[in-house]
Amino acid sequence: MAVWRSQRYRQEGNQKGVDRATLEHAVAIGKAIIDVHPELPPIFTLRHLAYLSNVDYGLLRRIVSREEPDAYRVFTIGKAPTRKQIRPRYRTICAPEPGLLRVQRWLARRVLAFGRLHQASVAYAKGCSIYNAAAPHCGALWLLKLDIRNFFESISEVAVYRAFRDLGYQALPAFEMARVCTRVGYNSRRKQERRWQSRHPMKYSISSYRFPRLGHLPQGAPTSPMLSNLVASRLDDSLAEIADQYSMVYTRYADDLTFSTKNRAFNRAVASEVIGTIYEALARWGFSPNASKSSLASPGARRIVLGLLVDGDRPKLTREFKSRIRQHLHYLKHPAIGPVIHARKRGFASLAGLKNHVVGLIAFAKQIDGAYGARLEQEFAKVVWPI
């Protein structure tokens, strides 16, 4: 798509006989948006968004009005087990239906990709990787890791609205895009809290847009990762200030918060103080910690960030990871076991699921250690798949 230019827009408007005052108002709106980023596309109305994204306007209007039956296919996938796990854990995924998926993909590619991210945010953006997320903590003496509970579901459509406003969009289109990118979901006990009840702070009042409950970012929508970064930038500001105050390094990979320091004067008492201050910042920005996932690694202990060992000068694969992938390859190549039996014993629903899982592990290994990853690829090529 061509970059929007006010002169060309004004010229085309004059040729079509658009009222001068209306045209100049639209030009002013467009300029305010491209002042934020020159590649951002001005979006003047919901109908304009429908045209730009090639999506039916009626569908978007029903979604924004919350009249459309749930436009997401909801299902669960198993989470990776933990050592303390007693019951299976699941993650709820909300996959948008085709029309909604199309407009969300357009917004992710043409709008959200140009938002300003905090330098501590190391996920869901170009150039970000788990390696880059772990590298700043290499060689640290103390490592503090915390987790945000229900990260996406904690971000309301009000916060999403503000993110679109920060990108320069007018109040009504920002509100409509926020509705397009959020889902109301079930009326759970948590969603009955006051912060999830609509108070209609909008400048514009459209009766069909009045809905008593606020939506949240659905995990599974292509817009949710980028929007979560934009919304969490204010939290990142607060946490970065805390890190600076205690001479620590801070990074955030989605809902995983990591703090580290090489300061020898740091101790458990200071760490307790830091954790309390972080919890206060989370609450201030509408988030809550998952205390069961908080951990503190002291000097001499193994220090792992996002599955990578950071005890040395660069991130490395852990022994556990190498052992796991070695077991997969051993059983897959074993003449008495092979892919079919191995998939059944490991609980995979299909051979394709097992194959994709192992391919993903090898790809991850290759990102961290190219030579080791290449050897794994050679071994994987020896597997005889019955499909």
Side-chain angles (χ1 to χ4, degrees):
M1 180 181 291
V3 175
W4 186 88
R5 301 193 183 281
S6 60
Q7 291 181 337
R8 184 190 309 147
Y9 185 85
R10 183 183 286 111
Q11 183 180 37
E12 291 179 358
N14 287 328
Q15 291 174 350
K16 293 178 179 179
V18 177
D19 174 72
R20 181 177 178 82
T22 302
L23 181 59
E24 290 305 315
H25 180 64
V27 167
I29 292 173
K31 285 183 176 179
I33 294 169
I34 64 172
D35 280 347
V36 176
H37 194 289
E39 293 190 58
L40 277 171
I43 300 172
F44 301 108
T45 64
L46 186 65
R47 191 179 293 277
H48 188 204
L49 174 62
Y51 169 77
L52 293 172
S53 59
N54 193 29
V55 175
D56 177 61
Y57 168 71
L59 171 65
L60 293 189
R61 187 62 185 260
R62 292 192 300 274
I63 289 172
V64 172
S65 300
R66 305 299 195 196
E67 296 173 357
E68 182 77 5
D70 196 358
Y72 294 85
R73 181 171 60 89
V74 182
F75 57 94
T76 59
I77 59 174
K79 288 185 178 182
T82 63
R83 279 181 288 181
K84 298 180 180 180
Q85 179 176 330
I86 299 176
R87 298 178 180 177
R89 301 184 307 144
Y90 299 95
R91 176 179 287 109
T92 300
I93 302 298
C94 304
E97 296 298 339
L100 180 57
L101 177 63
R102 187 180 304 118
V103 68
Q104 288 180 346
R105 282 177 172 170
W106 187 90
L107 286 169
R109 184 179 67 255
R110 291 291 296 120
V111 175
L112 301 177
F114 302 110
R116 183 191 72 84
L117 301 183
H118 194 280
Q119 62 181 2
S121 177
V122 287
Y124 308 139
K126 187 176 181 180
C128 290
S129 68
I130 289 180
Y131 184 95
N132 293 335
H137 304 286
C138 283
L141 296 176
W142 292 83
L143 183 71
L144 173 62
K145 297 190 294 183
L146 303 99
D147 181 85
I148 299 176
R149 185 188 299 276
N150 298 323
F151 181 54
F152 287 122
E153 291 82 358
S154 297
I155 298 175
S156 76
E157 68 181 62
V158 174
V160 175
Y161 163 80
R162 289 172 182 151
F164 281 113
R165 291 288 279 150
D166 288 343
L167 289 170
Y169 293 99
Q170 293 288 291
L172 183 56
F175 170 83
E176 291 168 329
M177 288 188 284
R179 281 280 178 94
V180 166
C181 296
T182 55
R183 174 178 180 264
V184 173
Y186 307 114
N187 191 18
S188 62
R189 181 184 303 176
R190 179 168 168 268
K191 285 301 184 70
Q192 294 174 20
E193 296 173 2
R194 188 162 180 254
R195 69 173 291 234
W196 292 101
Q197 306 307 308
S198 176
R199 292 185 292 276
H200 301 293
M202 284 181 54
K203 176 180 176 182
Y204 300 94
S205 180
I206 299 176
S207 59
S208 64
Y209 284 0
R210 293 175 183 169
F211 194 81
R213 294 164 51 213
L214 296 175
H216 63 264
L217 286 185
Q219 187 163 357
T223 44
S224 291
M226 293 179 181
L227 278 168
S228 71
N229 274 346
L230 296 179
V231 170
S233 62
R234 292 179 172 86
L235 170 66
D236 290 331
D237 284 333
S238 298
L239 297 183
E241 288 179 7
I242 294 171
D244 289 342
Q245 180 182 347
Y246 290 94
S247 300
M248 304 186 82
V249 173
Y250 160 64
T251 59
R252 180 181 58 79
Y253 191 91
D255 56 355
D256 290 305
L257 313 178
T258 306
F259 296 78
S260 67
T261 181
K262 297 180 181 180
N263 183 2
R264 295 187 179 277
F266 196 87
N267 55 45
R268 292 187 180 277
V270 176
S272 179
E273 184 179 316
V274 171
I275 292 173
T277 308
I278 292 171
Y279 282 6
E280 290 175 1
L282 289 174
R284 189 162 63 249
W285 293 110
F287 297 101
S288 60
N290 188 344
S292 65
K293 290 189 175 182
S294 298
S295 66
L296 177 66
S298 58
R302 291 181 79 207
R303 291 176 287 285
I304 297 175
V305 175
L306 299 170
L308 296 178
L309 196 64
V310 295
D311 290 349
D313 59 352
R314 65 180 181 84
K316 296 179 181 179
L317 297 168
T318 63
R319 293 191 302 271
E320 292 83 358
F321 177 88
K322 290 184 175 182
S323 175
R324 182 153 53 102
I325 198 167
R326 186 167 58 247
Q327 285 183 354
H328 276 305
L329 292 174
H330 169 75
Y331 291 126
L332 287 171
K333 294 188 298 177
H334 197 290
I337 302 176
V340 174
I341 296 176
H342 183 55
R344 185 171 65 249
K345 288 190 173 182
R346 288 300 177 95
F348 285 90
S350 66
L351 284 177
L354 170 62
K355 187 174 185 179
N356 291 337
H357 176 72
V358 178
V359 167
L361 293 176
I362 294 174
F364 176 73
K366 197 171 183 180
Q367 290 178 11
I368 309 304
D369 186 336
Y372 175 69
R375 292 196 298 272
L376 293 176
E377 285 183 327
Q378 292 175 357
E379 292 301 310
F380 184 74
K382 298 176 184 178
V383 178
V384 179
W385 295 89
I387 52 175

